[in-house]
Every structure is written in C-alpha cells, then in structure tokens.
Amino acid sequence: MAELRHSTSIGSRATAASSASPMKRDDSLASSPLCPDNVPASDDDDDRNRHSRDRGFRSIFSTHLNPLFPFFNDDSRSNSKISLLVLLFVVIAGFTAISSIFNRLNAPYLCKKDGIVLQCPRVRESPSLWENPYSATTSWKPCAERPVGKISDLPAENETSGYIFIHAEGGLNQQRIAICNAVAVAKIMNATLILPVLKQDQIWKDQTKFEDIFDVDHFIDYLKDDVQIVRDIPEWFTDKSELFTSIRRTVKNIPKYASAQFYIDNVLPRIKEKKIMSLKPFVDRLGYDNVPPEINRLRCRVNYHALKFLPEIEQMADQLVSRMRNRTGHSNPFMALHLRFEKGMVGLSFCDFVGTRVEKALMALYRLKEWPRRFKDGSHLWALALQKRKEGRCPLEPGEVAVMLRAMGYPKETQIYVASGQVYGGQNRMAPLRNMFPNLVTKEELANKEELDGFRKHVTSLAALDFLVCLKSDVFVMTHGGNFAKLIIGYRRYMGHRLKSIKPDKGLMSKSLGDPYMGWATFVEDVVVTHQTRTGLPEETFPNYDIWENPLTPCMCRA
C-alpha cells in the first residue's frame, strides 16, 4: 500500500509540473537529439501530425505484416530467435529440394553397391514383369561405335611392330571373348592381327572356322581405323606349321588378366625381333582395370559392333523370335531361359542334387573319371556340396527355377524359350518346370528338321542361334554363371538396360527352399524384393569388374 501511495503521488506531481511549465517541456523536446534541427520546437501541429502518421504506419504494419514476420512485432520479440531459425530451416530445405531435383534431372540413374547389396534409386513407375523402369533406362547410351569422320593414323601392314596370331579356344562365347582380347592386344602393341583361328574344341568336337560363323568382311572393315587385320599368314612366312609348334615362334606364360604394360614390356620386344609370333594360351589373358579406357572401349566395339554373325544365322534367329512372339495367335512377350543343367555342368559343380541312389552312384563314378584329383576318395564332397549350396554356387535345378519364376509373378501361360544342352535327368528332371510352365519350347520344336540341318554341321552355329534368340527376348533368365550368360546380360545392358536380365540370388533360393517353416507369402516377398535390383539395371563398376557382364563405364555414356 505504501508503494502504491508513493507511485500515485509521483504521478500527480509529474502531472502538475507538466501543466504548470509548458515552456520547459518544449525546451526539452527542442534539445532532444531525436528532434531534427530544421524542425522548430514550437511547431506543435506538425509534431502532432508526424506522430499520428507514425502511429498509423505501425498500425498497418501490425495488422498486415505481423502474421508473416512476427519478430518485427514488439509483442513477439521473445519468439524472434525461434522464428529466424524456422525461416532459415525453410530456406535450406528449399535449396536442398531444388538441388535434389536438379541432380535428379542431370545425373543418370545408377545402382550402387553397399557391401554386397545393390542399392538403386527409387522410381515411381509400377513394376512390370517384362521391362525395367523407363526412368532407369534412359540415362545411358552406347558409345563404343566406330568414330565418324575420324582420320586414321594407323600405319600400313608392313610398318607395324609385327604380326600376332592366336587360337580362340573353348565354345562360341569363350572364342568371342578371345577375339575381342586379340584385337585389343594388337592395338596395345601396334601389331597386325592375323584373323584368329577357332580351335577345334575337344569337348564340342567342332570344326568351325571364323568365316563359317562370322562376317569376315564386316569385321575387318569396321575395325580398319583401329587395328590392321589380315585374313591369313603372310606369304613370306613359308613354314606356317612352325607357327604353333616352334617354341621360338610362341609366346607362352602370359599370366591371366595381364596388364597392358605386361604386353609392352614382355611380348612386344619378341614380336619386333621375330616379326611374327603366336600367343598361347590366350584365354582371359588381358585384364579389365589395368588397361587404358580406350582399350576397353575397343573391346566393346569388337563385341557389340564388329563381330556379326553371318546373314543366314541372323535370319534364322529372327524367324525363331517371330515364332515365339506369335505362338498364341497374337503378339506376346516371351522369356528366354538359359538352363545350365547338363551332365558335365552338374558333375563339375560337385554339388549334391535330389536323385536316386543309383543316379548318385553313377554321378560319383563320372566325377572320379573326369576329375580324379578333385574327387580324391569322395569323403570330403558332402561337406563341400553343403558349403557350395549355402554360398549360392550350385546350378539351379529346373524345379527350383519354376518355383522362383512363379514367385516373381510369371503366370502359367508364359512363353519360354529354353537354351540348353541335354538336361541331366531327362524328362523326369524337367517335369516340374513343364508342369508349371507348359509353354516351354526349344529351337528344335520351333523349327523343322530341314531348317536346322544346315546349321548342324557346325555346333557353334546352333549355339549362335540360341545366343541371338536370348539376346532378343523380352526377359532373359540365367540359372548359373558362364560366358554365355555374361555376354548376353552385358549385351542387353549395352542395348539400353530396358530388357530384363534376371540373375537369380541362388543363395536366397537355397536358404528359402531349405526352410520347412517358411510360408509361400513370405517366400514370394523375399524373392520379389531381392530380385528388384537383379534385372540388368545400370550398375556402377568396381575394381576387377567383368566388362563382358557390365560394360557401363568404359563403353556407355550419359544420355
């Protein structure tokens, strides 16, 4: 109460003083630093007008701008820091969103490895059984074609470092890789390449020559600005039989996946000295990440552009593709299945498969005969088989393939072209796959005997038909590794990643099919989620990557 009386008395005294001495009040205002020098202190009307305008401006500001900028309001100064932080956060979020949109428009779609898992950017498109997402397949384009308008600085045939000659060994796809590597090695050493010979394979018993399957004229002409290629050994070299029999004319001991520098340091001097040398053996004798990018690009140029099958092989393959697309009376997509379950593959895998005791005993005898060092006494094979199956290194059986495809959503009516040799176990082994997918055919069922007779004299020609049909299918499914599957997947990626190339997670299949408590719904979810990133999408390369399966970085460019 005392304080109240004291404040009241002070207020009354101040009021009295102000009313008693107005002159002092005006003098104080005139001497104030807030009052401009050119404004007379006695001009009361102007002073009142100015104050009224200030009050009006503050009223307008408070009414219209305070909702947007509360920190300008005297009543909300306590919240100004929070408001500033919120505004700053909004600005940063906006810049981040704009930057993200810009990067999304300018950076190509690319799946990246996170350990052993492949992480791919999300797409808004609904998943399709037959095609990869459009947004994932338009960011990269092939760029290993022959340069247009380039002036060749290639020396004449007799002015190169010398001649090199190779035997392309193995089956069709191994031979294809050897030919690509031979062109690359000739470029590295500035040598002339003699047209490779397709070696007579001891397993396939094939007598095919280069010109029996590939278009030689196109091959030489397409690469004329990159490497000198001649059809045969030069005439001045009289003893042609010596080329692969004489130690003096053969370069051996080339390590697997050798670098470009190895050839320059160890092989080129001998070629310059002898003028003509053969390279033996020549399977996987050139690395991937230890050679210049232009050499890898040249290998893609050979594989995807220079190596063309003969026109009659291309035409027959086109007929098979057309028949697959029209088997139902109208146009339909089809799947190509590379089913690697031949007796040799099953034996070489040393995996255990479901079968009778007699069947397993016969397989043990077969393995002992073909691979005695690996078989030993057979006591260690059961543990080895379990380990390999757990790690996903065993070929998928036809029945396992059928269950996987059904889990992915492919219906019973799916048209499937089977590219394989004689399936181990015959019709009994194929029965689960045929029961679940009855529209299953081979080239022998699509074409009549007369149409295929012209290709039977060369086993490689029949393999070329399978290669082309798989290449042009809507979906390609592999069941085990190998050069055939690698080349098909890489080729389809080079064509634009649009076509699905399914590479099964065999470890997941082994784990899921071996779990007696896993229900069908859980199994379907696992299969679908896991294989979303295993369909041939653009995938980043990494050290020691395989250029034949993933040609992205050296051979493709941003679209």
Side-chain angles (χ1 to χ4, degrees), residues 39-67:
V39 178
S42 59
D43 195 352
D44 294 340
D45 294 336
D46 291 344
D47 191 46
R48 281 193 296 271
N49 291 336
R50 186 177 69 250
H51 285 297
S52 65
R53 284 195 302 268
D54 290 344
R55 284 194 301 271
F57 175 77
R58 285 198 297 269
S59 176
I60 294 171
F61 183 89
S62 175
T63 303
H64 296 286
L65 298 183
N66 273 357

Side-chain angles (χ1 to χ4, degrees), residues 488-506:
I488 293 292
I489 291 176
Y491 211 132
R492 290 165 69 91
R493 279 177 161 168
Y494 185 77
M495 292 163 63
H497 299 94
R498 185 64 170 162
L499 303 175
K500 275 193 172 184
S501 302
I502 299 175
K503 187 177 182 180
D505 186 336
K506 294 183 290 184

Side-chain angles (χ1 to χ4, degrees), residues 125-266:
E125 299 172 61
S126 57
S128 167
L129 287 176
W130 300 102
E131 294 177 327
N132 280 324
Y134 180 78
S135 57
T137 59
T138 54
S139 299
W140 298 91
K141 64 178 182 180
C143 60
E145 304 95 331
R146 178 176 56 187
V148 179
K150 176 186 175 183
I151 300 176
S152 176
D153 56 353
L154 204 63
E157 176 189 334
N158 57 356
E159 295 177 1
T160 60
S161 304
Y163 294 81
I164 61 172
F165 185 59
I166 69 142
H167 269 172
E169 303 173 350
L172 170 65
N173 305 289
Q174 201 169 8
Q175 292 170 348
R176 191 182 187 100
I177 293 174
I179 293 167
C180 296
N181 287 342
V183 173
V185 168
K187 181 67 174 180
I188 290 171
M189 299 188 295
N190 191 28
T192 298
L193 176 66
I194 301 170
L195 196 68
V197 170
L198 307 186
K199 188 176 180 181
Q200 299 175 11
D201 191 89
Q202 296 301 316
I203 297 176
W204 294 100
K205 309 294 184 184
D206 196 14
Q207 304 282 335
T208 305
K209 298 179 182 178
F210 192 102
E211 56 269 25
D212 292 331
I213 186 168
F214 296 115
D215 188 333
V216 178
D217 293 332
H218 176 80
F219 178 74
I220 295 175
D221 180 69
Y222 199 89
L223 299 171
K224 65 182 180 182
D225 295 332
D226 296 296
V227 178
Q228 286 284 3
I229 303 175
V230 295
R231 292 175 177 267
D232 205 352
I233 299 170
E235 294 182 359
W236 55 262
F237 189 75
T238 55
D239 193 0
K240 296 184 180 183
S241 61
E242 180 188 357
L243 194 54
F244 261 86
T245 57
S246 173
I247 297 178
R248 295 184 300 107
R249 293 287 181 183
T250 303
V251 180
K252 291 189 175 184
N253 302 321
I254 300 175
K256 273 196 169 186
Y257 307 110
S259 65
Q261 195 61 44
F262 176 89
Y263 282 93
I264 293 173
D265 294 340
N266 300 280

Side-chain angles (χ1 to χ4, degrees), residues 141-147 150 180 183-184 187 222-223 226 286-288 291-306 494 545 547-548 551-557:
K141 64 178 182 180
C143 60
E145 304 95 331
R146 178 176 56 187
K150 176 186 175 183
C180 296
V183 173
K187 181 67 174 180
Y222 199 89
L223 299 171
D226 296 296
L286 184 64
Y288 304 116
V291 300
E294 58 268 20
I295 295 298
N296 279 334
R297 197 171 299 115
L298 175 60
R299 293 155 96 176
C300 289
R301 187 172 303 146
V302 180
N303 188 30
Y304 304 127
H305 299 282
Y494 185 77
Y545 70 93
I547 192 176
W548 311 117
L552 182 71
T553 304
C555 306
M556 301 185 73
C557 308

Side-chain angles (χ1 to χ4, degrees), residues 339-352:
L339 189 58
R340 294 209 70 188
F341 207 75
E342 306 91 347
K343 183 178 180 179
M345 176 53 60
V346 172
L348 181 61
S349 71
F350 279 85
C351 294
D352 185 66

